[in-house]
Amino acid sequence: MHGRNTNTSNSGSSNGEGCGVVMRKGPWVAEEDEILLEYVRKHGPRDWSSIRSKGLLPRTGKSCRLRWVNKLKPDLKTGCKFSAEEERIVIDLQGRFGNKWARIATYLPGRTDNDVKNFWSTRQKRLARLLQTPLQPNSKSSKSHGKLAVPNHAPTFEVASLDLIPYGEESSSGQCSQTDFMDNPDAREMVQMTPHLENHHHQGLLFNMDPTLPLLEPSVDQEVLLPQLHFDHLPNPEFDFPSSKPRTIFRATRTSSSRTNWPARRHHAACR
DNA sequence: AATACCGCCAACCGCCGCCAT
DNA sequence: TATGGCGGCGGTTGGCGGTAT
């Protein structure tokens, strides 16, 4: 959509692409899309790096793959806002899986991990504003090593709340309190949108999670331990193995990065 | 009309795991 | 077994457009 810097030698990528060739970056143009589509038509969505090595496009393999996955793949719901049902699914699954956007996206046909990620991020920002609370910046250093160790079995809203209010701290400091939060109709709607969150709120857990609870690292099948969430229509993950490497879809959970997970509020329900 | 703010989202980066060599 | 390439993922950035002030 909106470009970044363009025409730079490849940097940062671990793919080792570039090799002196000026790699193009930034927004894709129609001609590039056409070339990429043609390549996929001929060879399928795989061997992305060969697009560059064959001189078809001055783009990294990663860039080509991303463009295909997020924009060019058939049956994408591009430009269509999340429906209420999709929102509910995202909220529920985020509570179950954490920020496993790719995994969550498999339950949402036509949605990509980027879609889900952006959707959630927007909601996080909105709620942070509603609560007048700064978003907890994600520390790069803790991305995968100094983990925050989000309890994957618990709604992440609770985890976020720990960042907001030290255990036992009074609400008079100006920080949002449970009461303040529920006095906000907009924020309240978010909770009501999320049945398991509301349930925890009613249990008094929402803002006073026991800090002594162990911080879990997923070691067993989370599906067994996770609360049983219900869907009106149980979503079926849309397995998509374009490159004949299904390993990545449900591969072993990577260590959780430090996340600041916030509840979200229903915002847009209709397609444009 | 100008400015500020916010939502949206494309695309980048770094990290990680798998796999071929 | 070690290593490098590659693909995949999550976090983040930053520009554009719409809306509010």
Side-chain angles (χ1 to χ4, degrees):
Chain A
M1 177 180 173
H2 313 296
R4 313 282 285 274
N5 51 335
T6 58
N7 285 348
T8 174
S9 55
N10 185 53
S11 63
S13 172
S14 60
N15 288 7
E17 295 175 287
C19 304
V21 177
V22 176
M23 286 291 115
R24 188 177 145 74
K25 292 165 68 175
W28 284 64
V29 298
E31 289 78 11
E32 290 178 304
D33 282 345
E34 197 52 47
I35 291 171
L36 183 55
L37 281 168
E38 184 62 24
Y39 174 87
V40 171
R41 268 194 290 269
K42 284 183 179 176
H43 305 94
R46 60 177 65 86
D47 299 332
W48 299 111
S49 60
S50 67
I51 297 174
R52 173 193 52 82
S53 60
K54 290 178 179 176
L56 298 176
L57 281 174
R59 294 274 187 175
T60 66
K62 293 175 74 168
S63 180
C64 292
R65 177 193 157 271
L66 205 64
R67 181 66 179 173
W68 164 258
V69 168
N70 288 332
K71 292 302 294 181
L72 301 180
K73 203 166 79 170
D75 304 324
L76 290 179
K77 293 181 182 176
T78 50
C80 182
K81 288 179 179 296
F82 275 59
S83 69
E85 178 66 13
E86 285 175 315
E87 290 182 38
R88 201 167 60 81
I89 291 171
V90 170
I91 292 166
D92 281 345
L93 293 180
Q94 203 280 340
R96 296 179 66 175
F97 304 144
N99 294 6
K100 300 297 176 184
W101 309 123
R103 185 172 186 179
I104 293 171
T106 63
Y107 289 82
L108 300 166
R111 300 295 186 187
T112 69
D113 59 339
N114 216 29
D115 292 334
V116 178
K117 191 165 51 182
N118 285 331
F119 166 75
W120 190 262
S121 175
T122 297
R123 294 168 68 95
Q124 280 185 304
K125 290 176 189 171
R126 185 183 305 120
L127 184 70
R129 205 179 67 256
L130 285 171
L131 299 179
Q132 297 180 333
T133 309
L135 275 171
Q136 201 73 11
N138 286 326
S139 167
K140 291 226 176 191
S141 62
S142 62
K143 187 174 181 179
S144 41
H145 302 294
K147 306 174 264 289
L148 184 62
V150 175
N152 286 274
H153 68 287
T156 52
F157 188 86
E158 298 173 355
V159 179
S161 72
L162 291 176
D163 291 331
L164 289 175
I165 304 176
Y167 182 66
E169 179 176 323
E170 294 295 315
S171 62
S172 58
S173 62
Q175 288 273 30
C176 72
S177 68
Q178 181 175 337
T179 303
D180 293 338
F181 174 79
M182 295 311 290
D183 282 347
N184 185 325
D186 221 8
R188 191 170 57 239
E189 181 189 356
M190 291 171 138
V191 173
Q192 290 170 346
M193 180 88 179
T194 314
H196 60 285
L197 294 184
E198 188 179 35
N199 184 44
H200 281 273
H201 163 69
H202 288 154
Q203 294 172 12
L205 296 175
L206 195 54
F207 283 90
N208 288 294
M209 184 179 174
D210 185 352
T212 63
L213 286 177
L215 298 179
L216 300 181
E217 196 61 27
S219 55
V220 295
D221 186 0
Q222 299 167 13
E223 314 246 14
V224 177
L225 299 177
L226 292 172
Q228 296 302 305
L229 301 173
H230 52 277
F231 299 95
D232 291 342
H233 309 288
L234 188 64
N236 294 316
E238 223 192 22
F239 294 101
D240 181 17
F241 307 121
S243 59
S244 70
K245 288 187 178 180
R247 61 181 172 85
T248 57
I249 299 299
F250 281 158
R251 72 181 177 196
T253 306
R254 208 190 297 179
T255 53
S256 302
S257 48
S258 72
R259 290 186 286 257
T260 306
N261 295 306
W262 298 80
R265 161 186 167 274
R266 186 177 60 78
H267 176 56
H268 42 248
C271 295
R272 287 172 185 162

Short mmCIF file of all heavy atoms in Angstrom, two decimals, chain A residues 1 12 25-26 28 62 67 114 122 129 144-145 267-268 272, chain B residues 5-19:
data_model
loop_
_atom_site.label_atom_id
_atom_site.label_comp_id
_atom_site.label_asym_id
_atom_site.label_seq_id
_atom_site.Cartn_x
_atom_site.Cartn_y
_atom_site.Cartn_z
N MET A 1 0.84 -1.19 0.00
CA MET A 1 0.00 0.00 0.00
C MET A 1 0.88 1.24 0.00
O MET A 1 1.03 1.94 -0.95
CB MET A 1 -0.91 0.01 1.21
CG MET A 1 -1.77 1.26 1.31
SD MET A 1 -2.81 1.16 2.76
CE MET A 1 -3.51 2.80 2.75
N GLY A 12 19.93 -7.13 6.27
CA GLY A 12 19.23 -7.69 7.39
C GLY A 12 18.77 -9.11 7.20
O GLY A 12 18.84 -9.92 8.10
N LYS A 25 13.02 -2.56 -2.90
CA LYS A 25 12.16 -2.65 -1.71
C LYS A 25 11.02 -1.66 -1.85
O LYS A 25 10.96 -0.89 -2.79
CB LYS A 25 12.99 -2.33 -0.45
CG LYS A 25 14.03 -3.38 -0.14
CD LYS A 25 15.05 -2.90 0.84
CE LYS A 25 14.49 -2.68 2.22
NZ LYS A 25 15.55 -2.31 3.19
N GLY A 26 10.13 -1.73 -0.92
CA GLY A 26 9.01 -0.80 -0.97
C GLY A 26 7.81 -1.38 -1.71
O GLY A 26 7.74 -2.58 -1.95
N TRP A 28 4.97 -2.64 -4.14
CA TRP A 28 5.01 -3.38 -5.40
C TRP A 28 4.21 -2.64 -6.46
O TRP A 28 3.18 -2.04 -6.17
CB TRP A 28 4.44 -4.78 -5.19
CG TRP A 28 5.37 -5.70 -4.48
CD1 TRP A 28 5.84 -5.58 -3.21
CD2 TRP A 28 5.96 -6.88 -5.03
NE1 TRP A 28 6.69 -6.62 -2.92
CE2 TRP A 28 6.77 -7.44 -4.01
CE3 TRP A 28 5.89 -7.53 -6.25
CZ2 TRP A 28 7.49 -8.62 -4.20
CZ3 TRP A 28 6.60 -8.70 -6.45
CH2 TRP A 28 7.40 -9.23 -5.42
N LYS A 62 11.93 -13.56 0.30
CA LYS A 62 11.00 -13.27 1.39
C LYS A 62 9.97 -12.24 0.97
O LYS A 62 8.79 -12.36 1.31
CB LYS A 62 11.77 -12.76 2.62
CG LYS A 62 12.66 -13.79 3.24
CD LYS A 62 13.49 -13.22 4.37
CE LYS A 62 12.65 -12.98 5.60
NZ LYS A 62 13.47 -12.69 6.78
N ARG A 67 4.47 -10.94 -0.51
CA ARG A 67 3.54 -10.31 -1.44
C ARG A 67 2.48 -11.31 -1.89
O ARG A 67 1.29 -10.99 -1.98
CB ARG A 67 4.30 -9.77 -2.64
CG ARG A 67 3.42 -9.07 -3.67
CD ARG A 67 2.81 -7.80 -3.11
NE ARG A 67 1.97 -7.12 -4.09
CZ ARG A 67 1.21 -6.05 -3.83
NH1 ARG A 67 1.19 -5.55 -2.61
NH2 ARG A 67 0.48 -5.50 -4.76
N ASN A 114 -0.97 -11.52 8.66
CA ASN A 114 -0.78 -10.08 8.71
C ASN A 114 -2.11 -9.37 8.98
O ASN A 114 -2.15 -8.39 9.73
CB ASN A 114 -0.18 -9.58 7.39
CG ASN A 114 0.80 -8.45 7.59
OD1 ASN A 114 1.44 -8.35 8.63
ND2 ASN A 114 0.91 -7.60 6.60
N THR A 122 -4.45 -2.87 16.06
CA THR A 122 -5.32 -1.69 16.07
C THR A 122 -6.20 -1.70 17.31
O THR A 122 -6.40 -0.67 17.95
CB THR A 122 -6.19 -1.69 14.81
OG1 THR A 122 -5.35 -1.58 13.67
CG2 THR A 122 -7.16 -0.52 14.83
N ARG A 129 -5.87 3.46 24.45
CA ARG A 129 -6.33 4.84 24.51
C ARG A 129 -7.56 4.96 25.39
O ARG A 129 -7.71 5.91 26.16
CB ARG A 129 -6.61 5.35 23.10
CG ARG A 129 -6.51 6.84 22.96
CD ARG A 129 -6.77 7.31 21.56
NE ARG A 129 -8.13 7.10 21.13
CZ ARG A 129 -8.53 6.16 20.30
NH1 ARG A 129 -7.66 5.32 19.81
NH2 ARG A 129 -9.78 6.03 19.98
N SER A 144 12.68 -13.23 22.21
CA SER A 144 12.59 -14.67 22.26
C SER A 144 13.48 -15.27 23.34
O SER A 144 13.53 -16.46 23.49
CB SER A 144 12.97 -15.26 20.91
OG SER A 144 14.05 -14.60 20.37
N HIS A 145 14.12 -14.42 24.05
CA HIS A 145 15.00 -14.96 25.08
C HIS A 145 14.47 -14.60 26.46
O HIS A 145 14.02 -15.44 27.20
CB HIS A 145 16.41 -14.42 24.88
CG HIS A 145 16.94 -14.75 23.53
ND1 HIS A 145 17.21 -16.03 23.12
CD2 HIS A 145 17.20 -13.97 22.45
CE1 HIS A 145 17.67 -16.05 21.88
NE2 HIS A 145 17.66 -14.79 21.45
N HIS A 267 -15.04 -3.20 16.49
CA HIS A 267 -15.01 -1.90 15.85
C HIS A 267 -15.68 -1.91 14.50
O HIS A 267 -16.62 -1.18 14.25
CB HIS A 267 -13.58 -1.42 15.70
CG HIS A 267 -13.46 -0.13 14.96
ND1 HIS A 267 -14.12 1.01 15.36
CD2 HIS A 267 -12.80 0.20 13.84
CE1 HIS A 267 -13.84 1.99 14.53
NE2 HIS A 267 -13.05 1.51 13.59
N HIS A 268 -15.20 -2.75 13.65
CA HIS A 268 -15.77 -2.73 12.32
C HIS A 268 -16.35 -4.09 12.02
O HIS A 268 -15.76 -5.10 12.28
CB HIS A 268 -14.74 -2.35 11.27
CG HIS A 268 -13.42 -3.00 11.49
ND1 HIS A 268 -12.30 -2.29 11.84
CD2 HIS A 268 -13.04 -4.30 11.47
CE1 HIS A 268 -11.29 -3.13 11.97
NE2 HIS A 268 -11.72 -4.34 11.75
N ARG A 272 -16.19 -3.17 3.42
CA ARG A 272 -16.30 -1.86 2.80
C ARG A 272 -17.17 -1.92 1.57
O ARG A 272 -17.11 -2.84 0.83
CB ARG A 272 -14.91 -1.36 2.39
CG ARG A 272 -14.08 -0.94 3.58
CD ARG A 272 -12.67 -0.64 3.11
NE ARG A 272 -11.83 -0.34 4.26
CZ ARG A 272 -10.51 -0.39 4.19
NH1 ARG A 272 -9.91 -0.74 3.11
NH2 ARG A 272 -9.79 -0.11 5.25
P DC B 5 -2.23 15.78 18.24
OP1 DC B 5 -2.23 15.99 19.70
OP2 DC B 5 -0.96 15.52 17.52
"O5'" DC B 5 -3.24 14.59 17.90
"C5'" DC B 5 -4.62 14.79 18.12
"C4'" DC B 5 -5.42 13.64 17.54
"O4'" DC B 5 -5.48 13.78 16.10
"C3'" DC B 5 -4.84 12.26 17.82
"O3'" DC B 5 -5.81 11.48 18.48
"C2'" DC B 5 -4.49 11.70 16.44
"C1'" DC B 5 -5.41 12.50 15.52
N1 DC B 5 -4.92 12.68 14.13
C2 DC B 5 -5.74 12.28 13.06
O2 DC B 5 -6.84 11.80 13.30
N3 DC B 5 -5.28 12.45 11.79
C4 DC B 5 -4.09 12.98 11.58
N4 DC B 5 -3.69 13.15 10.31
C5 DC B 5 -3.24 13.39 12.65
C6 DC B 5 -3.70 13.22 13.89
P DC B 6 -5.40 10.10 19.12
OP1 DC B 6 -6.14 9.94 20.38
OP2 DC B 6 -3.93 9.96 19.11
"O5'" DC B 6 -6.00 9.10 18.04
"C5'" DC B 6 -7.34 9.29 17.60
"C4'" DC B 6 -7.63 8.40 16.41
"O4'" DC B 6 -7.00 8.95 15.23
"C3'" DC B 6 -7.11 6.97 16.57
"O3'" DC B 6 -8.20 6.08 16.43
"C2'" DC B 6 -6.10 6.81 15.42
"C1'" DC B 6 -6.52 7.89 14.44
N1 DC B 6 -5.43 8.43 13.59
C2 DC B 6 -5.57 8.44 12.20
O2 DC B 6 -6.61 7.97 11.71
N3 DC B 6 -4.58 8.94 11.44
C4 DC B 6 -3.48 9.43 12.01
N4 DC B 6 -2.52 9.92 11.23
C5 DC B 6 -3.32 9.44 13.43
C6 DC B 6 -4.31 8.94 14.17
P DG B 7 -7.99 4.55 16.69
OP1 DG B 7 -9.10 4.09 17.53
OP2 DG B 7 -6.60 4.29 17.09
"O5'" DG B 7 -8.20 3.98 15.22
"C5'" DG B 7 -9.31 4.42 14.46
"C4'" DG B 7 -9.24 3.85 13.06
"O4'" DG B 7 -8.24 4.56 12.30
"C3'" DG B 7 -8.87 2.37 13.00
"O3'" DG B 7 -9.71 1.73 12.05
"C2'" DG B 7 -7.40 2.38 12.57
"C1'" DG B 7 -7.32 3.65 11.73
N9 DG B 7 -6.02 4.31 11.73
C8 DG B 7 -5.25 4.61 12.83
N7 DG B 7 -4.14 5.22 12.53
C5 DG B 7 -4.17 5.34 11.16
C6 DG B 7 -3.23 5.92 10.26
O6 DG B 7 -2.16 6.45 10.53
N1 DG B 7 -3.66 5.83 8.94
C2 DG B 7 -4.84 5.25 8.54
N2 DG B 7 -5.08 5.24 7.23
N3 DG B 7 -5.73 4.70 9.36
C4 DG B 7 -5.32 4.79 10.65
P DC B 8 -9.64 0.20 11.86
OP1 DC B 8 -10.99 -0.26 11.51
OP2 DC B 8 -8.91 -0.40 13.00
"O5'" DC B 8 -8.72 0.08 10.57
"C5'" DC B 8 -9.06 0.86 9.42
"C4'" DC B 8 -7.96 0.76 8.39
"O4'" DC B 8 -6.83 1.55 8.83
"C3'" DC B 8 -7.42 -0.66 8.14
"O3'" DC B 8 -7.64 -0.98 6.78
"C2'" DC B 8 -5.95 -0.57 8.50
"C1'" DC B 8 -5.65 0.92 8.38
N1 DC B 8 -4.55 1.43 9.21
C2 DC B 8 -3.48 2.10 8.60
O2 DC B 8 -3.49 2.24 7.38
N3 DC B 8 -2.47 2.58 9.37
C4 DC B 8 -2.51 2.41 10.70
N4 DC B 8 -1.50 2.91 11.42
C5 DC B 8 -3.59 1.75 11.34
C6 DC B 8 -4.58 1.27 10.56
P DC B 9 -7.55 -2.45 6.33
OP1 DC B 9 -8.41 -2.61 5.15
OP2 DC B 9 -7.69 -3.34 7.50
"O5'" DC B 9 -6.03 -2.50 5.86
"C5'" DC B 9 -5.57 -1.59 4.88
"C4'" DC B 9 -4.07 -1.71 4.72
"O4'" DC B 9 -3.41 -1.02 5.79
"C3'" DC B 9 -3.55 -3.15 4.75
"O3'" DC B 9 -2.54 -3.29 3.78
"C2'" DC B 9 -2.94 -3.26 6.14
"C1'" DC B 9 -2.36 -1.86 6.24
N1 DC B 9 -1.96 -1.46 7.61
C2 DC B 9 -0.89 -0.56 7.76
O2 DC B 9 -0.33 -0.13 6.76
N3 DC B 9 -0.51 -0.20 9.00
C4 DC B 9 -1.15 -0.70 10.06
N4 DC B 9 -0.73 -0.31 11.27
C5 DC B 9 -2.25 -1.60 9.93
C6 DC B 9 -2.62 -1.95 8.68
P DA B 10 -2.70 -4.38 2.70
OP1 DA B 10 -3.88 -4.08 1.88
OP2 DA B 10 -2.56 -5.70 3.34
"O5'" DA B 10 -1.39 -4.09 1.83
"C5'" DA B 10 -1.18 -2.78 1.33
"C4'" DA B 10 0.28 -2.42 1.45
"O4'" DA B 10 0.60 -2.09 2.82
"C3'" DA B 10 1.24 -3.52 1.03
"O3'" DA B 10 2.28 -2.94 0.25
"C2'" DA B 10 1.77 -4.07 2.35
"C1'" DA B 10 1.71 -2.85 3.25
N9 DA B 10 1.49 -3.13 4.67
C8 DA B 10 0.56 -3.98 5.21
N7 DA B 10 0.58 -4.01 6.54
C5 DA B 10 1.58 -3.11 6.87
C6 DA B 10 2.09 -2.68 8.11
N6 DA B 10 1.64 -3.12 9.28
N1 DA B 10 3.09 -1.77 8.09
C2 DA B 10 3.52 -1.33 6.92
N3 DA B 10 3.12 -1.66 5.69
C4 DA B 10 2.14 -2.56 5.73
P DA B 11 3.25 -3.85 -0.54
OP1 DA B 11 3.64 -3.10 -1.74
OP2 DA B 11 2.71 -5.21 -0.65
"O5'" DA B 11 4.51 -3.90 0.44
"C5'" DA B 11 5.11 -2.69 0.85
"C4'" DA B 11 6.09 -2.97 1.96
"O4'" DA B 11 5.37 -3.21 3.19
"C3'" DA B 11 6.99 -4.19 1.74
"O3'" DA B 11 8.33 -3.81 1.92
"C2'" DA B 11 6.54 -5.17 2.82
"C1'" DA B 11 6.07 -4.20 3.90
N9 DA B 11 5.18 -4.78 4.90
C8 DA B 11 4.16 -5.66 4.70
N7 DA B 11 3.55 -6.02 5.81
C5 DA B 11 4.21 -5.32 6.79
C6 DA B 11 4.05 -5.26 8.19
N6 DA B 11 3.13 -5.95 8.85
N1 DA B 11 4.88 -4.46 8.88
C2 DA B 11 5.81 -3.76 8.22
N3 DA B 11 6.06 -3.74 6.91
C4 DA B 11 5.22 -4.55 6.25
P DC B 12 9.49 -4.72 1.37
OP1 DC B 12 10.02 -4.09 0.16
OP2 DC B 12 9.09 -6.15 1.37
"O5'" DC B 12 10.56 -4.54 2.54
"C5'" DC B 12 10.88 -3.22 3.00
"C4'" DC B 12 11.08 -3.23 4.50
"O4'" DC B 12 9.84 -3.63 5.13
"C3'" DC B 12 12.11 -4.24 4.98
"O3'" DC B 12 13.35 -3.58 5.22
"C2'" DC B 12 11.55 -4.81 6.26
"C1'" DC B 12 10.15 -4.25 6.36
N1 DC B 12 9.14 -5.29 6.61
C2 DC B 12 8.76 -5.56 7.93
O2 DC B 12 9.27 -4.91 8.85
N3 DC B 12 7.82 -6.52 8.17
C4 DC B 12 7.29 -7.20 7.16
N4 DC B 12 6.38 -8.12 7.43
C5 DC B 12 7.68 -6.93 5.80
C6 DC B 12 8.60 -5.99 5.58
P DC B 13 14.64 -4.44 5.42
OP1 DC B 13 15.80 -3.53 5.26
OP2 DC B 13 14.55 -5.68 4.61
"O5'" DC B 13 14.54 -4.88 6.95
"C5'" DC B 13 14.48 -3.90 7.97
"C4'" DC B 13 14.44 -4.59 9.32
"O4'" DC B 13 13.17 -5.25 9.47
"C3'" DC B 13 15.53 -5.66 9.47
"O3'" DC B 13 16.32 -5.40 10.61
"C2'" DC B 13 14.77 -6.98 9.59
"C1'" DC B 13 13.36 -6.57 9.96
N1 DC B 13 12.31 -7.42 9.33
C2 DC B 13 11.41 -8.13 10.14
O2 DC B 13 11.51 -8.03 11.37
N3 DC B 13 10.46 -8.90 9.54
C4 DC B 13 10.40 -8.97 8.22
N4 DC B 13 9.45 -9.75 7.68
C5 DC B 13 11.31 -8.26 7.38
C6 DC B 13 12.25 -7.49 7.98
P DG B 14 17.64 -6.21 10.83
OP1 DG B 14 18.61 -5.29 11.45
OP2 DG B 14 17.99 -6.95 9.60
"O5'" DG B 14 17.20 -7.29 11.92
"C5'" DG B 14 16.51 -6.84 13.08
"C4'" DG B 14 16.06 -8.02 13.90
"O4'" DG B 14 14.93 -8.65 13.25
"C3'" DG B 14 17.12 -9.12 14.06
"O3'" DG B 14 17.12 -9.57 15.39
"C2'" DG B 14 16.69 -10.20 13.06
"C1'" DG B 14 15.17 -10.02 13.04
N9 DG B 14 14.53 -10.40 11.79
C8 DG B 14 14.96 -10.09 10.53
N7 DG B 14 14.18 -10.56 9.58
C5 DG B 14 13.18 -11.22 10.27
C6 DG B 14 12.05 -11.92 9.79
O6 DG B 14 11.69 -12.10 8.61
N1 DG B 14 11.28 -12.44 10.82
C2 DG B 14 11.57 -12.30 12.16
N2 DG B 14 10.72 -12.86 13.01
N3 DG B 14 12.62 -11.64 12.63
C4 DG B 14 13.37 -11.13 11.63
P DC B 15 18.19 -10.62 15.86
OP1 DC B 15 18.62 -10.19 17.21
OP2 DC B 15 19.17 -10.90 14.79
"O5'" DC B 15 17.27 -11.92 16.03
"C5'" DC B 15 16.04 -11.80 16.74
"C4'" DC B 15 15.24 -13.08 16.59
"O4'" DC B 15 14.67 -13.13 15.27
"C3'" DC B 15 16.08 -14.35 16.78
"O3'" DC B 15 15.50 -15.14 17.79
"C2'" DC B 15 16.04 -15.02 15.40
"C1'" DC B 15 14.78 -14.45 14.77
N1 DC B 15 14.82 -14.34 13.29
C2 DC B 15 13.79 -14.93 12.53
O2 DC B 15 12.88 -15.52 13.11
N3 DC B 15 13.83 -14.82 11.18
C4 DC B 15 14.83 -14.16 10.59
N4 DC B 15 14.83 -14.08 9.26
C5 DC B 15 15.88 -13.56 11.35
C6 DC B 15 15.84 -13.67 12.68
P DC B 16 16.27 -16.37 18.34
OP1 DC B 16 15.98 -16.44 19.78
OP2 DC B 16 17.66 -16.37 17.85
"O5'" DC B 16 15.51 -17.56 17.61
"C5'" DC B 16 14.08 -17.60 17.65
"C4'" DC B 16 13.58 -18.66 16.71
"O4'" DC B 16 13.67 -18.18 15.36
"C3'" DC B 16 14.37 -19.97 16.78
"O3'" DC B 16 13.51 -21.02 17.15
"C2'" DC B 16 14.93 -20.14 15.37
"C1'" DC B 16 14.04 -19.25 14.52
N1 DC B 16 14.70 -18.67 13.34
C2 DC B 16 14.15 -18.84 12.06
O2 DC B 16 13.10 -19.50 11.96
N3 DC B 16 14.76 -18.30 10.99
C4 DC B 16 15.88 -17.60 11.14
N4 DC B 16 16.45 -17.08 10.06
C5 DC B 16 16.47 -17.40 12.43
C6 DC B 16 15.85 -17.94 13.49
P DG B 17 14.12 -22.41 17.53
OP1 DG B 17 13.42 -22.85 18.73
OP2 DG B 17 15.60 -22.36 17.50
"O5'" DG B 17 13.64 -23.30 16.29
"C5'" DG B 17 12.27 -23.25 15.91
"C4'" DG B 17 12.07 -24.02 14.63
"O4'" DG B 17 12.62 -23.27 13.52
"C3'" DG B 17 12.76 -25.39 14.61
"O3'" DG B 17 11.90 -26.32 13.97
"C2'" DG B 17 14.04 -25.14 13.81
"C1'" DG B 17 13.59 -24.04 12.84
N9 DG B 17 14.65 -23.13 12.42
C8 DG B 17 15.61 -22.56 13.22
N7 DG B 17 16.43 -21.76 12.57
C5 DG B 17 15.97 -21.81 11.26
C6 DG B 17 16.46 -21.15 10.11
O6 DG B 17 17.42 -20.38 10.01
N1 DG B 17 15.71 -21.48 8.98
C2 DG B 17 14.62 -22.33 8.98
N2 DG B 17 14.03 -22.51 7.81
N3 DG B 17 14.16 -22.95 10.05
C4 DG B 17 14.88 -22.64 11.15
P DC B 18 12.28 -27.81 13.90
OP1 DC B 18 11.08 -28.55 14.34
OP2 DC B 18 13.58 -28.05 14.54
"O5'" DC B 18 12.44 -28.02 12.33
"C5'" DC B 18 11.44 -27.52 11.47
"C4'" DC B 18 11.89 -27.64 10.03
"O4'" DC B 18 12.87 -26.63 9.75
"C3'" DC B 18 12.52 -28.98 9.67
"O3'" DC B 18 11.97 -29.43 8.44
"C2'" DC B 18 14.01 -28.67 9.57
"C1'" DC B 18 14.00 -27.22 9.13
N1 DC B 18 15.18 -26.41 9.53
C2 DC B 18 15.87 -25.65 8.59
O2 DC B 18 15.48 -25.67 7.41
N3 DC B 18 16.94 -24.91 8.98
C4 DC B 18 17.31 -24.92 10.26
N4 DC B 18 18.37 -24.17 10.61
C5 DC B 18 16.62 -25.69 11.24
C6 DC B 18 15.58 -26.41 10.84
P DC B 19 12.18 -30.88 7.97
OP1 DC B 19 10.92 -31.31 7.32
OP2 DC B 19 12.77 -31.67 9.06
"O5'" DC B 19 13.28 -30.69 6.84
"C5'" DC B 19 13.10 -29.67 5.86
"C4'" DC B 19 14.35 -29.52 5.02
"O4'" DC B 19 15.30 -28.68 5.73
"C3'" DC B 19 15.07 -30.83 4.72
"O3'" DC B 19 15.46 -30.84 3.36
"C2'" DC B 19 16.28 -30.79 5.64
"C1'" DC B 19 16.57 -29.29 5.68
N1 DC B 19 17.34 -28.82 6.86
C2 DC B 19 18.32 -27.84 6.70
O2 DC B 19 18.52 -27.38 5.57
N3 DC B 19 19.02 -27.42 7.78
C4 DC B 19 18.77 -27.94 8.98
N4 DC B 19 19.47 -27.49 10.01
C5 DC B 19 17.77 -28.95 9.16
C6 DC B 19 17.09 -29.35 8.09
#
